[in-house]
Amino acid sequence: MQGLSTGVLLQYLGHDTTLVSDSIAYIDGPDIPTVCTDYAAASVYPVQVESKYSEDDLIRQAEATFEPFYEADGVPVRKHRHYYVYEEEHPEPNPARMNVQDATAYDGDIPSRSGHAIRGGYVCKEYFVEMPEYIPQLYEAYLALGGEVERRTVTPDELDAMRGQTVFNCAGYGSRELFGDESMKAVKGHILQVPYDGQEPLPFSYTYTPTDYTHYAYMYPRKDTVLFGGSYLMGDMHDGEWTGESPEQPMTVDGETIPERLFTVNKDIMSDYVDVDRDAIRAKHGFRPYRTKGMRIEKDGNVIHNYGHGGSGVSMSWWSVLRTVGYIEDVGEDVLPELAAAIGQTATA
């Protein structure tokens, strides 16, 4: 996510770049667990990220930098209603999201479990990114703007040879090995893909916290599937193998061991909208590159770092890119409408 966005902006500004990566989500196929982009539900709402900024500041930054991509023709970013709700009272103030209003004062229907009432939360509008289209479009835009790609793994030994170049490090969890960043964690998440054949994507999503579980479950609609998720298991990678937390209440779907609420809670809510057949569901897992010290957006010698976004890699992507590229060129949000239009033209080129 960060690498492609950085490359597109640099090429658009007239720089010559080479993207070095051994795998690219969606370009190499749909099942690359170490590339978390392939698993992102991709709402534009920053979550599970450490930052010096407040939640409201991050929300404003995420929404403002994605608005031009929503407004641009041909870019797969849409807007829909989101329900962030609780079955218990939730006295915390609502965040500064688009068109936010308290759930208990909302006069429309709110998706909920049978026999349970909504007692807290809010309803808002949010941007949503259709990732199976968006990542290939960024990739094609990067190539169309003259970017080059090298398909290989970068090793720590190569960094000295790059001293004469400006290096944008968007390696995510790979920064642990490349730059000795021991604060990096690999947070495991699961996605259940429920088949969907409607003419248009469902016009809503939700983040739903039930009374009988300690964590939420969510649903997001894509064009040809409905996504169930909400798992967040802290861990690390050792010799290519993940070790970390296990689900407290596990169940198995499509060979994946998942927290059962991802299936049970979502099935209860969504059975009125889509056929939830356990045998037809495809389950995946991926790893969020979470950094306990917070997002790293800084310059260190010839290396400009842009990683550690946790569950906010999509949401904060353009905000992060503007700041990292800003280390070598004065660039602001006013470039985004033109850049979004150029990316959108890739869809019809």
Side-chain angles (χ1 to χ4, degrees):
M1 187 74 250
Q2 310 310 325
L4 282 173
S5 302
T6 301
V8 166
L9 179 57
L10 286 168
Q11 288 293 144
Y12 183 76
L13 294 174
H15 298 279
D16 294 324
T17 71
T18 300
L19 174 68
V20 183
S21 181
D22 62 359
S23 59
I24 300 175
Y26 295 108
I27 303 303
D28 294 344
D31 293 298
I32 311 171
T34 55
V35 182
C36 65
T37 300
D38 196 22
Y39 298 80
S43 65
V44 178
Y45 172 49
V47 296
Q48 298 161 343
V49 59
E50 299 297 327
S51 171
K52 65 181 180 180
Y53 298 95
S54 70
E55 179 187 21
D56 284 352
D57 283 339
L58 292 176
I59 290 170
R60 281 191 288 267
Q61 292 158 354
E63 291 181 350
T65 51
F66 259 93
E67 182 178 6
F69 297 89
Y70 168 71
E71 298 289 348
D73 292 335
V75 180
V77 176
R78 61 181 185 267
K79 184 191 294 185
H80 61 214
R81 179 172 288 108
H82 185 79
Y83 306 93
Y84 204 109
V85 293
Y86 302 80
E87 290 179 349
E88 294 181 337
E89 292 185 6
H90 192 72
E92 294 183 10
N94 295 329
R97 304 186 68 178
M98 279 189 292
N99 304 117
V100 67
Q101 58 180 301
D102 195 87
T104 57
Y106 182 66
D107 60 4
D109 293 329
I110 297 179
S112 60
R113 293 197 296 173
S114 56
H116 294 78
I118 300 301
R119 293 186 169 86
Y122 60 86
V123 181
C124 66
K125 290 291 185 71
E126 71 175 8
Y127 297 123
F128 180 79
V129 182
E130 191 74 26
M131 293 298 282
E133 297 178 13
Y134 184 68
I135 291 298
Q137 191 177 67
L138 285 184
Y139 184 76
E140 292 302 322
Y142 176 70
L143 296 178
L145 289 166
E148 297 184 358
V149 178
E150 290 185 11
R151 307 304 292 274
R152 61 182 179 84
T153 299
V154 178
T155 66
D157 294 338
E158 292 182 69
L159 295 177
D160 284 339
M162 297 180 179
R163 293 297 178 189
Q165 302 171 319
T166 299
V167 176
F168 287 83
N169 170 38
C170 304
Y173 191 82
S175 298
R176 186 183 181 99
E177 179 179 352
L178 286 173
F179 297 94
D181 190 343
E182 297 295 324
S183 71
M184 289 302 300
K185 300 292 182 181
V187 181
K188 189 174 186 178
H190 299 86
I191 286 289
L192 304 184
Q193 295 179 311
V194 181
Y196 175 75
D197 59 1
Q199 292 185 346
E200 298 290 337
L202 293 171
F204 69 93
S205 59
Y206 60 72
T207 304
Y208 191 100
T209 302
T211 56
D212 46 346
Y213 293 95
T214 59
H215 202 66
Y216 59 71
Y218 66 66
M219 183 284 297
Y220 283 99
R222 283 185 177 164
K223 288 184 176 180
D224 59 356
T225 188
V226 172
L227 304 179
F228 293 170
S231 63
Y232 194 82
L233 305 174
M234 190 67 72
D236 289 298
M237 290 284 187
H238 298 282
D239 297 324
E241 295 294 327
W242 183 83
T243 57
E245 298 173 339
S246 298
E248 293 181 0
Q249 295 172 270
M251 70 177 295
T252 300
V253 175
D254 189 30
E256 287 279 351
T257 300
I258 65 167
E260 68 170 17
R261 70 177 184 280
L262 272 61
F263 178 79
T264 56
V265 172
N266 283 311
K267 182 179 188 298
D268 192 339
I269 298 170
M270 290 302 296
S271 291
D272 289 340
Y273 304 93
V274 64
D275 181 21
V276 184
D277 179 357
R278 180 172 174 177
D279 293 334
I281 292 174
R282 187 180 181 190
K284 292 180 170 185
H285 71 269
F287 303 100
R288 303 176 180 94
Y290 174 77
R291 189 171 186 261
T292 59
K293 293 182 178 180
M295 290 184 289
R296 190 178 186 189
I297 302 172
E298 63 181 7
K299 188 175 187 295
D300 182 12
N302 70 313
V303 178
I304 301 173
H305 296 285
N306 182 12
Y307 69 93
H309 294 73
S312 300
V314 176
S315 300
M316 303 309 301
S317 56
W318 291 112
W319 176 85
S320 299
V321 166
L322 288 174
R323 276 141 191 82
T324 51
V325 173
Y327 282 107
I328 66 168
E329 179 171 341
D330 186 17
V331 60
E333 291 183 17
D334 56 343
V335 75
L336 294 180
E338 294 179 358
L339 179 65
I343 293 171
Q345 290 173 3
T346 305
T348 57

